Amino acid sequence: MTERELRVSKIQDGTVIDHIPGGQALNVLAILGVGRATDDTLSIGMNVPSDLMGKKDIVKIEGRELSQEEVDVLSLIAPDATINIVRDFEVVEKHRVERPEQVVGILSCPNHSCITTGNEPVESRFEVLAEGVRCHYCETIVREDITDLIGVE
Ligand SMILES: [Zn+2]
């Protein structure tokens, strides 16, 4: 790890999401629900020079770890992201995201007559395809702009 990377990772307890494709940090925040009022302490690095990726984004969240659902959706827009769990200024856990077989909750189906978008208390469920996602209930396929499905209620 270079000096610069170390400095970037300095939070006391929380999560550092690294190797996010350049320009995607705000979408990552949307996945984490940060758009809706939050008390989380965040810092964001956008278009940070990276040997591996050219440019990358980094998101650091103090005092919070990610749920599996959040990691699953994250993997759709940032397939090479690494999740670093920090405790007492040390990285105690580091792993790559993995594409799940399906994502539950978080994404909303764009089909307005889908059972998950009505008043029924049905949680959204999408199967993850090689490219894109498919609604489990109405089979609508979304290939691009998956982040547009986040937090639409
Ligand atoms: Zn649907």
Side-chain angles (χ1 to χ4, degrees), residues 26 40 111-113 138:
L26 298 179
D40 293 335
N111 172 8
H112 293 295
S113 48
C138 70

Side-chain angles (χ1 to χ4, degrees), residues 109 114 135 138:
C109 186
C114 179
C135 178
C138 70

Side-chain angles (χ1 to χ4, degrees), residues 12-151:
Q12 185 171 0
D13 292 289
T15 305
V16 177
I17 307 167
D18 199 356
H19 302 111
I20 300 164
Q24 291 288 339
L26 298 179
N27 288 328
V28 170
L29 296 185
I31 292 169
L32 302 179
V34 166
R36 309 158 218 168
T38 178
D39 292 333
D40 293 335
T41 302
L42 299 160
S43 43
I44 302 165
M46 291 187 82
N47 297 313
V48 178
S50 161
D51 292 341
L52 222 61
M53 307 173 68
K55 283 177 179 177
K56 66 177 182 179
D57 287 2
I58 303 174
V59 171
K60 290 173 277 174
I61 316 154
E62 189 79 48
R64 163 123 126 75
E65 294 181 13
L66 306 191
S67 68
Q68 189 57 50
E69 289 77 18
E70 290 168 333
V71 174
D72 285 350
V73 178
L74 176 67
S75 74
L76 300 178
I77 63 159
D80 298 317
T82 48
I83 311 250
N84 300 275
I85 309 292
V86 178
R87 296 209 182 100
D88 213 10
F89 298 107
E90 300 283 341
V91 174
V92 294
E93 231 180 88
K94 181 171 188 158
H95 53 98
R96 288 268 300 261
V97 299
E98 281 174 34
R99 279 173 84 85
E101 285 175 22
Q102 58 177 15
V103 290
V104 177
I106 302 185
L107 297 180
S108 300
C109 186
N111 172 8
H112 293 295
S113 48
C114 179
I115 188 170
T116 61
T117 57
N119 293 324
E120 301 294 323
V122 180
E123 210 170 19
S124 73
R125 179 181 296 269
F126 285 85
E127 275 124 36
V128 176
L129 312 175
E131 285 178 37
V133 293
R134 178 175 58 215
C135 178
H136 174 76
Y137 296 98
C138 70
E139 303 196 340
T140 296
I141 293 178
V142 180
R143 289 195 176 80
E144 288 170 11
D145 299 327
I146 289 171
T147 49
D148 288 352
L149 308 181
I150 298 164

